[in-house]
Amino acid sequence: MYRVICGGERHGFDSLATLLAHATPLRSGDQLAGLAADSQLRRVAAQMALADLPLATFLTEAVIPYEADEVTRLIIDSHDAAAFAPIRHLTVGGLRDFLLADETDIASLASGLTPEMVAAVSKLMRLQDLMLVASRVQVVTAFRTTIGLPDRLSVRLQPNHPSDDPRGIAASILDGLLLGSGDACIGINPATDSPERTRELLDLLETIRRKLDIPMQSCVLAHVTTTLDLIGQGAPVDLVFQSIAGSEAANRSFGINLALLDEAQSAVASLGRGTVGQNAFYFETGQGSALSAGAHHGVDQQTLEARAYAVARRYAPLLVNSVVGFIGPEYLYDGKQITRAGLEDHFCGKLLGLPMGVDVCYTNHAEADQDDMDALLALLVAAGVNFVMGVPGADDIMLGYQSTSFHDALAMRDLFGRKPAPEFEAWLIRQGLADEAGRIRPPDSPARLQALLPAS
């Protein structure tokens, strides 16, 4: 039992999971699960109690039992005691102060922090705190481009099509390339998960890459088992994609476990297709996924999201993407909640050593609009996000949600002085799509780029 006096009242919290849930800034998913504090006074009381909690508590009390959950076992068994030693004496509130100190070497702490620790400290932070700390952490990964370098902003070019039509996909790719997108990856969400369609899309992306000699990595976001089978058939797989979550049961609902991801890691590593690096996983996450699968174990959605990052860092991924507003208003009700969640996810992922991107997005039935997304996008770029999405017109006509456009990414690069990944920037300059300073200046579509469109 954790106790505190707040507002002249005594407050008790019967478990670490309850304390974390009640300390969480309000969001609809925790209300739906019956986990949220029932008043702002109760929330502040939980935050006070959490601030005084020793960090070492997280190594002895698990929010999901060790014996029942392989994600918990991964977190505990991979914890680096030596990296934790400099902060072992701190409380959660003390960790907040430590992280905000200018001289702190945050990156060296990553393997000593557990997801629950970083989730806990994020609950005590204002938005500017989340941004300031995250901006001091650079996580650099590489495959055919180098992502996460200082003063760079990469973009996943997302050319989805509701029928996977090759001409529609290629037209979206051309649009994105002309506007400087695609250096994080060109990644297609297939309309179906059939192996045949996935192979066709992989072959299309490989043809475009080779025809135009683009330093890029491609990904078709099929289930990991589909990708594994295609690797065995000799398909041109660059990145292995998978959605992941923060509990064993939630991952089971995705049809995965750690053993399967281990197998995929060995398979993609054997291909050695990278040129400047071999980070070959692309993971997507999102607050609320465990609750939607009935696999949350009474743990708040933001803590579970941070636990998903423990799964991700086991595989040294190229990209980790929090698709922050995609699941819907049942989990993040409005623009305010989406904004907070996006900055929390970026902060927690960076502290745990991950190359974080955020899909700044919302569904059409959420209490949010593009102004909310403009604000969150700017805050994330200021906070040093590694990559964002580039969707034609910011409207994904296959997945049916609103994201960020190629022009949005251009605006952020101009506003904050960010450039694409260096290898991709050099290609853009060679193609006449950027000037020598790296600024995107698209001409009329060059014939050599139009040639990537499939014949009618």
Side-chain angles (χ1 to χ4, degrees):
M1 175 72 76
Y2 301 93
R3 296 184 176 88
V4 69
I5 297 176
C6 179
E9 299 178 10
R10 294 182 179 274
H11 297 266
F13 307 92
D14 60 6
S15 69
L16 181 57
T18 300
L19 178 62
L20 289 167
H22 284 209
T24 305
L26 182 65
R27 61 208 60 198
S28 53
D30 291 337
Q31 290 178 307
L32 179 66
L35 300 175
D38 58 10
S39 68
Q40 185 62 16
L41 177 62
R42 177 76 171 168
R43 184 170 294 109
V44 170
Q47 290 171 343
M48 290 175 60
L50 186 62
D52 289 336
L53 187 72
L55 288 178
T57 305
F58 294 98
L59 301 178
T60 58
E61 183 176 348
V63 295
I64 304 176
Y66 181 94
E67 298 78 11
D69 187 88
E70 70 172 1
V71 178
T72 299
R73 293 193 291 275
L74 170 64
I75 291 167
I76 297 301
D77 295 348
S78 63
H79 182 252
D80 185 342
F84 182 59
I87 57 172
R88 185 179 181 86
H89 63 289
L90 295 178
T91 61
V92 176
L95 177 61
R96 175 187 177 276
D97 295 341
F98 183 83
L99 292 172
L100 288 168
D102 287 341
E103 67 276 8
T104 299
D105 179 11
I106 300 172
S108 67
L109 301 175
S111 61
L113 293 169
T114 70
E116 292 86 353
M117 291 177 192
V118 300
V121 75
S122 75
K123 298 174 194 296
L124 306 182
M125 289 187 156
R126 295 171 57 185
L127 297 189
Q128 65 180 346
D129 299 335
L130 298 170
M131 294 168 60
L132 182 60
V133 173
S135 72
R136 295 174 179 161
V137 184
Q138 278 78 51
V139 181
V140 180
T141 56
F143 192 79
R144 292 194 189 95
T145 62
T146 306
I147 300 167
L149 293 168
D151 300 320
R152 303 278 175 172
L153 173 63
S154 294
V155 182
R156 172 194 158 188
L157 201 169
Q158 184 170 305
N160 298 341
H161 192 278
S163 65
D164 289 335
D165 179 76
R167 283 188 61 82
I169 289 171
S172 293
I173 292 173
L174 173 59
D175 188 17
L177 291 174
L178 290 172
L179 294 169
S181 290
D183 55 329
C185 75
I186 299 181
I188 304 170
N189 297 83
T192 72
D193 200 36
S194 77
E196 296 78 17
R197 182 58 55 83
T198 300
R199 177 63 188 262
E200 290 171 4
L201 295 175
L202 285 169
D203 288 340
L204 171 64
L205 292 172
E206 181 72 353
T207 298
I208 290 171
R209 181 181 74 84
R210 289 183 174 278
K211 182 180 291 186
L212 297 178
D213 192 27
I214 310 174
M216 56 164 262
Q217 40 277 336
S218 65
C219 185
V220 177
L221 282 67
H223 192 270
V224 63
T225 52
T226 300
T227 305
L228 259 174
D229 288 344
L230 290 173
I231 289 174
Q233 297 172 27
V237 173
D238 287 345
L239 305 181
V240 172
F241 166 80
Q242 185 54 49
S243 294
I244 56 174
S247 74
E248 179 180 346
N251 284 323
R252 190 183 308 122
S253 76
F254 289 146
I256 63 167
N257 56 31
L258 297 181
L260 178 60
L261 295 179
D262 289 348
E263 182 183 353
Q265 183 181 44
S266 296
V268 75
S270 72
L271 301 178
R273 287 171 57 85
T275 55
V276 295
Q278 296 297 334
N279 301 111
F281 265 93
Y282 176 14
F283 291 118
E284 286 192 344
T285 66
Q287 289 192 28
S289 59
L291 175 58
S292 68
H296 61 292
H297 298 276
V299 180
D300 70 272
Q301 64 185 44
Q302 191 256 332
T303 298
L304 283 168
E305 171 73 3
R307 282 170 55 94
Y309 302 154
V311 177
R313 72 174 174 180
R314 175 180 175 91
Y315 302 100
L318 179 76
L319 308 166
V320 179
N321 178 30
S322 168
V323 192
V324 67
F326 181 73
I327 302 180
E330 300 85 358
Y331 305 96
L332 295 169
Y333 180 72
D334 56 16
K336 181 180 179 68
Q337 292 187 13
I338 292 170
T339 296
R340 172 86 198 182
L343 292 169
E344 287 170 348
D345 295 350
H346 178 247
F347 166 90
C348 290
K350 282 289 186 71
L351 254 65
L352 293 169
L354 290 177
M356 290 302 297
V358 177
D359 189 344
V360 178
C361 63
Y362 64 101
T363 57
N364 288 319
H365 60 310
E367 291 295 319
D369 59 26
Q370 209 62 38
D371 284 343
D372 295 312
M373 299 305 102
D374 284 353
L376 176 55
L377 178 61
L379 295 176
L380 283 163
V381 176
V385 71
N386 280 25
F387 69 99
V388 295
M389 301 297 107
V391 177
D395 183 4
D396 193 304
I397 58 174
M398 193 278 281
L399 291 174
Y401 79 118
Q402 308 302 310
S403 184
T404 49
S405 72
F406 308 134
H407 294 85
D408 294 333
L410 276 183
M412 292 302 101
R413 283 174 174 166
D414 283 351
L415 180 62
F416 289 96
R418 302 287 199 265
K419 294 182 178 183
E423 301 85 356
F424 194 80
E425 178 190 17
W427 179 82
L428 290 170
I429 294 171
R430 290 197 303 271
Q431 301 303 313
L433 301 177
D435 62 23
E436 290 300 322
R439 293 170 298 191
I440 306 301
R441 297 292 182 266
D444 291 336
S445 179
R448 62 187 178 280
L449 295 187
Q450 285 185 334
L452 66 83
L453 294 172
S456 299

